[in-house]
Amino acid sequence: MLLPFGAIPIRDAHLASPGAAAARATLPLLCAGVGLTLLYYGAETFALPAVAGDASTILERSASIRFGAVQVTLLGVGLLCIAAGAITLAIAVWRGRILPRSSAVPLAAMIALYLPQFFAPPPVRVAHGIFTAIAALWLAGSLWRARASSPSDAPASV
């Protein structure tokens, strides 16, 4: 859910660069994806406790809440939008040459692999989460260093 907020300063830094078109496409894709996936997780969050009282049918009911056609479609389209947003962010960074060119690629790769990792065993899912966090921190650090060394942040001489 925080990914669109983190993408705003990266997008803004690239609006006057050769990566501007990709930078402008990033935020709408990420917001649409987050909105769609929140619908899925929100339904799961509020519906599963409501059916938890009947232990004999909890698995059947939870499967219908999680894996209905509409639910899976919303989740899949949402995750695809998030992946597309992360990829366009990486394209903006690559073309913009404001941040190190490859600084957004690992995060885009990890987010693109978010859906497939659901089908992996728990250790792979944990590793995916750790690598995603490392990739996000790397990109954030790259932005931090670029802003710290930017001449526009220096005080104006009088």
Side-chain angles (χ1 to χ4, degrees):
M1 190 171 136
L2 296 175
L3 189 60
F5 294 110
I8 291 171
I10 298 168
R11 178 208 59 190
D12 292 348
H14 290 84
L15 287 177
S17 76
R24 280 191 294 276
T26 296
L27 202 55
L29 285 166
L30 290 174
C31 288
V34 167
L36 291 169
T37 56
L38 282 177
L39 289 171
Y40 175 84
Y41 288 116
E44 184 178 64
T45 299
F46 296 110
L48 286 179
V51 299
D54 185 4
S56 65
T57 60
I58 185 68
L59 292 177
E60 291 173 14
R61 289 184 182 180
S62 66
S64 69
I65 292 167
R66 288 181 175 149
F67 304 117
V70 172
Q71 296 91 316
V72 171
T73 301
L74 286 175
L75 179 64
V77 171
L79 290 176
L80 289 173
C81 285
I82 292 171
I87 291 167
T88 59
L89 183 69
I91 291 169
V93 169
W94 188 273
R95 289 180 182 164
R97 296 181 184 245
I98 292 167
L99 302 177
R101 291 185 88 183
S102 62
S103 61
V105 173
L107 183 61
M110 290 293 96
I111 291 175
L113 292 171
Y114 194 78
L115 184 59
Q117 66 89 31
F118 274 114
F119 304 102
V124 173
R125 294 175 71 178
V126 170
H128 178 270
I130 291 168
F131 288 132
T132 301
I134 291 168
L137 290 171
W138 181 18
L139 180 57
S142 296
L143 180 63
W144 187 292
R145 285 186 299 278
R147 284 192 165 185
S149 66
S150 172
S152 64
D153 290 341
S157 58
V158 178

